[in-house]
């Protein structure tokens, strides 16, 4: 269905999202830790970049053993990051600039430091009775044995013994992150109240962390259970009634056919990340073949009208290889993570630019695919400048280093006189990616920079709702190194052609079905990237040349 563009509740269909770590972005008070006031001071930068919404990594009080995904209080702000007043100011300033704000909801688990868990584990705690069943407890560690372990590199089991309670508790992630018991109606209700709280504070959308694991049932793999979907539908109904237009985005790292269920009939999540597509973009570039993308698109079901995929190249986690076959994983590890230290769990802890060998043409090609393929794209902070990583930092911290704003000491992330050892993590200093080379200020001044290219291409994308909303038809040219597709929406038809190879390629396309579709525009093509008008593809064999990693966005409708 073609929805009117003026339906504001569908804003997420046209949006480009920017994922930001508050801790890593900008430090306003020189304590070496990024904060909400720092992020607020950079909203002008983000608006100029051309994004539409910011998604912040967790900002709640937390022992930070999982960078805030270990929540110790759902209704407050980590003191390192500021206060609720700072949050409200951030939202107000974002809204002034037309930017929306996505807040994390982490329903599956808390930190073991959360007062609920402290009460639940301790029979002598005054609130023990009340919280006794808020977590998943067992006398043995052999229940739900068909369930996989996600953090394979650090966790031997999904059960950990608690001395005080004398029982095991269930955790799908770290052993310091106990899963909440969603069979308990009070837990279900409390999570809705937390959602209400953040909507009241100004959230425009919520990113639901780890939704597949809310419920456990013996004899299953404890993922994607009907009970989980029933609860997510209840959450959606609650949000629709309380604050219509609030968008729910889910992080179900599953195969497309399983993720499809998280959209329901348009009555569950508005958006879901398309996890399996992401590694296949990298695989296609590595193999110089569009086949991996074709294969996953074959498995990608259509969505209810109001729903949307979220797409991304990189994020704050390792580049996950959970949704690939073992052979594909081996290929990806060999190609993109030749050093053992680059690997983590079932993934790769590297950033976009290093993964693509800092090859500017390849980075732009990957972004061309991201920005023109199905769904709404998510950019990861720093990738707009081609920031590097530090694989020697713990866990996934190597892709969460301070944003590089300028060439001054501490990269402009915090005061230049702050001793470097005070920073929550060191800035990148490597020869290629160090902050004196890669930073916002230098790139803003360079017309050829990745930053300026990203600004231009986001501005262009914004003029063409077809990219967020259109149907996508993959073309099947003989040359496997060319990924070509046609996007159509209302009266606009755009052909996108990407060369996945490091050498120039020719491709012959049959466009007879599209040429002349839009009669008023005649049979010409407009190159959206240059503004040039091209000779019409009169025959069914139209030949196009592409530079190495070159791409064209060609509009039939002028
Ligand atoms: C998914 C988040 O993206 C990741 O960073 C976190 O460690 C796990 N969920 C557990 O919350
Ligand atoms: Ca600070």
């Amino acid at each position: 269905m073609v929805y009117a563009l003026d339906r504001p509740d569908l804003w997420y269909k046209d949006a480009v999202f920017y994922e930001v770590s508050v801790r890593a972005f900008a430090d306003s008070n020189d304590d070496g830790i990024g904060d909400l006031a720092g992020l607020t001071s950079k909203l002008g930068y983000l608006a100029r970049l051309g994004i539409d919404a910011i998604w912040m990594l967790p900002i709640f009080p937390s022992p930070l053993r999982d960078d805030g995904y270990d929540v110790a209080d759902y209704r407050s702000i980590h003191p390192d990051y500021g206060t609720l007043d700072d949050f409200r100011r951030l939202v107000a300033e974002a809204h002034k600039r037309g930017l929306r704000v996505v807040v994390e909801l982490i329903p599956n688990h808390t930190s073991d430091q959360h007062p609920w868990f402290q009460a639940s584990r301790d029979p002598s705690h005054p609130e023990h009775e009340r919280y006794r069943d808020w977590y998943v407890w067992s006398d043995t560690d052999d229940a739900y044995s068909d369930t996989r372990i996600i953090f394979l590199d650090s966790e031997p089991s999904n059960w950990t013994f608690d001395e005080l309670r004398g029982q095991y508790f269930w955790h799908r992630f770290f052993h310091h992150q106990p899963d909440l018991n969603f069979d308990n109606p009070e837990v279900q209700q409390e999570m809705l109240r937390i959602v209400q709280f953040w909507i009241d504070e100004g959230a425009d959308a919520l990113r639901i962390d780890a939704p597949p694991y809310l419920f456990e049932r013996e004899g299953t793999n404890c993922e994607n259970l009907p009970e989980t979907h029933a609860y997510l539908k209840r959450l959606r109904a609650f949000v629709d009634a309380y604050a219509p237009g609030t968008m729910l985005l889910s992080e179900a790292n599953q195969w497309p056919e399983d993720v499809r269920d998280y959209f329901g009939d348009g009555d569950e999540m508005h958006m879901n990340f398309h996890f399996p597509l992401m590694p296949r973009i990298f695989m296609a570039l590595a193999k110089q073949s569009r086949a991996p993308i074709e294969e996953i698109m074959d498995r990608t079901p259509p969505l209810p009208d109001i729903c949307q995929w979220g797409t991304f190249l990189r994020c704050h986690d390792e580049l996950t290889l959970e949704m690939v076959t073992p052979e594909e994983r081996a290929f990806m590890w060999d190609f993109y993570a030749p050093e053992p230290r680059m690997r983590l769990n079932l993934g790769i802890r590297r950033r976009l630019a290093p993964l693509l060998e800092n090859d500017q043409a390849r980075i732009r090609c990957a972004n061309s695919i991201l920005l023109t393929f199905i769904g709404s794209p998510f950019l990861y902070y720093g990738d707009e400048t081609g920031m590097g990583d530090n694989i020697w930092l713990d866990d996934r911290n190597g892709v969460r280093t301070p944003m590089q704003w300028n060439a001054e000491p501490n990269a402009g992330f915090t005061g230049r006189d702050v001793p470097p050892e005070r920073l929550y993590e060191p800035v990148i200093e490597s020869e290629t990616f160090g902050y004196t080379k890669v930073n916002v200020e230098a790139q803003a001044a360079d017309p050829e920079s990745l930053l300026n290219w990203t600004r231009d291409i986001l501005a262009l994308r914004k003029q063409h709702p077809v990219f967020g909303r259109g149907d996508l038809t993959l073309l099947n040219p003989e040359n496997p190194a060319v990924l070509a597709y046609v996007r159509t929406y209302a009266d606009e038809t755009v052909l996108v052609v990407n060369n996945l190879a490091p050498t120039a390629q020719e491709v012959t396309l049959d466009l007879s079905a599209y040429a002349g579709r839009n009669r008023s525009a005649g049979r010409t093509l407009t190159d959206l990237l240059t503004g040039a008008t091209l000779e019409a593809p009169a025959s069914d064999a139209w030949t196009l040349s592409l530079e190495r990693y070159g791409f064209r966005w060609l509009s039939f409708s002028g």
Side-chain angles (χ1 to χ4, degrees):
M1 186 189 291
V2 173
Y3 277 109
L5 285 172
D6 59 2
R7 269 196 52 183
D9 57 321
L10 299 182
W11 61 271
Y12 49 88
K13 288 212 166 212
D14 304 306
V16 173
F17 292 80
Y18 188 89
E19 179 189 356
V20 61
S21 161
V22 172
R23 170 153 87 146
F25 207 54
D27 174 17
S28 71
N29 62 351
D30 289 358
D31 65 354
I33 304 169
D35 43 54
L36 291 169
L39 174 56
T40 307
S41 75
K42 298 295 186 186
L43 289 174
Y45 165 77
L46 293 176
R48 266 198 311 286
L49 181 59
I51 55 108
D52 303 284
I54 51 173
W55 153 34
M56 281 176 290
L57 294 179
I59 49 177
F60 320 108
S62 160
L64 300 179
R65 294 178 73 189
D66 185 13
D67 215 353
Y69 284 98
D70 45 337
V71 181
D73 176 0
Y74 282 101
R75 289 185 175 82
S76 169
I77 302 286
H78 194 294
D80 286 349
Y81 306 151
T83 62
L84 277 172
D85 275 345
D86 292 328
F87 176 81
R88 291 183 204 116
R89 215 167 291 129
L90 169 75
V91 172
E93 290 298 319
H95 288 172
K96 264 192 218 160
R97 292 171 171 82
L99 303 175
R100 290 186 162 85
V101 177
V102 186
V103 168
E104 285 277 350
L105 180 74
I106 303 156
N108 183 67
H109 45 265
T110 68
S111 159
D112 60 6
Q113 300 307 304
H114 197 294
W116 302 338
F117 187 72
Q118 291 300 319
S120 188
R121 67 185 287 247
D122 179 0
S124 69
H125 192 286
E127 299 234 71
H128 179 67
E129 271 315 297
R130 169 146 189 234
Y131 291 106
R132 202 184 47 199
D133 296 328
W134 278 48
Y135 294 83
V136 182
W137 293 100
S138 170
D139 290 333
T140 65
D141 63 356
D142 54 12
Y144 313 134
S145 57
D146 297 336
T147 309
R148 70 187 168 119
I149 294 169
I150 296 171
F151 286 163
L152 278 167
D153 286 1
S154 47
E155 298 300 330
S157 167
N158 287 318
W159 291 105
T160 290
F161 189 71
D162 184 82
E163 296 288 345
L164 270 184
R165 170 123 172 185
Q167 279 189 310
Y168 293 88
F169 62 89
W170 178 249
H171 54 89
R172 288 308 303 272
F173 295 95
F174 289 120
H175 63 278
H176 52 75
Q177 254 168 340
D179 275 34
L180 283 160
N181 175 18
F182 269 82
D183 276 317
N184 183 335
E186 286 182 46
V187 169
Q188 297 186 10
Q189 187 61 40
E190 178 65 9
M191 214 37 79
L192 300 185
R193 285 195 209 104
I194 290 163
V195 167
Q196 181 174 354
F197 176 86
W198 286 103
I199 292 174
D200 288 346
E201 293 297 320
D204 300 296
L206 296 156
R207 181 241 191 213
I208 318 289
D209 184 66
Y213 321 116
L214 297 187
F215 286 79
E216 302 76 34
R217 290 291 178 267
E218 204 52 77
T220 74
N221 66 359
C222 293
E223 303 191 4
N224 314 322
L225 297 180
E227 292 83 352
T228 293
H229 287 293
Y231 181 71
L232 293 173
K233 283 193 165 65
R234 183 174 160 205
L235 168 62
R236 169 64 182 276
F238 172 79
V239 162
D240 279 357
Y242 186 69
T246 306
M247 190 271 280
L248 300 177
L249 155 71
S250 116
E251 187 231 7
N253 186 355
Q254 300 284 327
W255 290 100
E257 50 275 20
D258 293 322
V259 179
R260 175 63 188 80
D261 293 341
Y262 288 83
F263 294 103
D265 297 322
D267 59 352
E268 207 167 309
M269 301 288 114
H270 301 84
M271 291 185 70
N272 279 281
F273 286 114
H274 198 316
F275 274 94
L277 175 62
M278 179 274 298
R280 285 171 180 80
I281 297 176
F282 289 93
M283 220 184 296
L285 286 165
K287 294 189 163 170
Q288 302 169 37
S289 161
R290 66 176 180 272
I293 295 178
E294 277 173 345
E295 281 162 25
I296 207 63
M297 289 308 288
D298 268 354
R299 281 181 74 170
T300 298
L303 302 183
D305 286 331
I306 63 130
C307 293
Q308 180 78 328
W309 292 107
T311 55
F312 60 105
L313 294 170
R314 288 296 294 114
C315 71
H316 64 291
D317 287 328
E318 68 274 31
L319 188 168
T320 169
L321 300 172
E322 280 159 278
M323 294 302 130
V324 298
T325 64
E327 297 73 39
E328 290 171 330
R329 188 176 306 133
F331 172 84
M332 286 288 286
W333 267 335
D334 262 10
F335 193 92
Y336 286 112
E339 290 179 38
R341 182 72 196 178
M342 294 171 173
R343 304 177 187 186
L344 178 69
N345 299 317
L346 290 184
I348 301 172
R349 51 174 143 197
R350 301 183 73 193
R351 262 191 185 264
L352 182 64
L355 279 165
L356 301 183
E357 296 176 312
N358 205 26
D359 178 336
Q360 295 297 308
R362 211 185 312 175
I363 293 171
R364 288 170 204 212
C365 179
N367 275 299
S368 162
I369 299 170
L370 177 73
L371 296 175
T372 58
F373 216 59
I374 53 162
S376 292
F378 284 66
L379 309 182
Y380 184 50
Y381 87 91
D383 282 351
E384 72 274 25
T385 61
M387 243 173 80
D389 51 38
N390 180 352
I391 57 171
W392 301 104
L393 298 179
D394 267 358
D395 196 6
R396 292 147 291 175
N397 296 345
V399 300
R400 304 173 183 178
T401 61
M403 179 74 176
Q404 296 170 196
W405 294 102
N406 60 37
E408 288 187 11
N410 297 327
F413 160 72
T414 184
R416 52 173 301 147
D417 299 326
V418 174
E421 60 278 10
R422 263 187 93 183
L423 272 60
Y424 76 96
E425 295 285 357
V427 293
I428 301 282
E429 309 232 29
S430 74
E431 193 173 331
T432 312
F433 297 106
Y435 65 93
T436 53
K437 285 236 171 72
V438 176
N439 66 66
V440 169
E441 196 176 289
Q443 291 202 14
D446 172 5
E448 303 297 317
S449 70
L450 184 59
L451 176 62
N452 279 319
W453 178 83
T454 306
R455 278 184 188 153
D456 291 348
I457 206 123
L458 291 184
L460 176 64
R461 186 183 189 278
K462 210 185 267 295
Q463 292 165 27
H464 299 276
V466 66
F467 294 125
R469 300 190 178 221
D471 292 336
L472 181 144
T473 309
L474 283 172
L475 303 184
N476 193 23
E478 215 166 289
N479 185 342
V482 173
L483 172 67
Y485 39 92
V486 174
R487 307 292 316 264
T488 49
Y489 176 73
D491 60 357
E492 186 165 32
T493 301
V494 177
L495 164 70
V496 180
V497 191
N498 304 285
N499 175 9
L500 304 167
T503 49
Q505 298 287 318
E506 284 219 330
V507 63
T508 301
L509 299 168
D510 176 1
L511 298 174
S512 46
Y514 302 98
R517 177 178 179 268
N518 186 313
R519 300 207 177 276
S520 61
R523 293 166 70 90
T524 55
L525 280 176
T526 304
D527 186 325
L528 297 180
L529 297 162
T530 64
T533 304
L534 277 76
E535 200 40 48
S539 79
D540 56 8
W542 187 59
T543 299
L544 186 67
S545 307
L546 294 158
E547 291 170 13
R548 67 185 294 275
Y549 295 119
F551 47 88
R552 308 286 286 275
W553 301 6
L554 302 166
S555 172
F556 282 94
S557 17

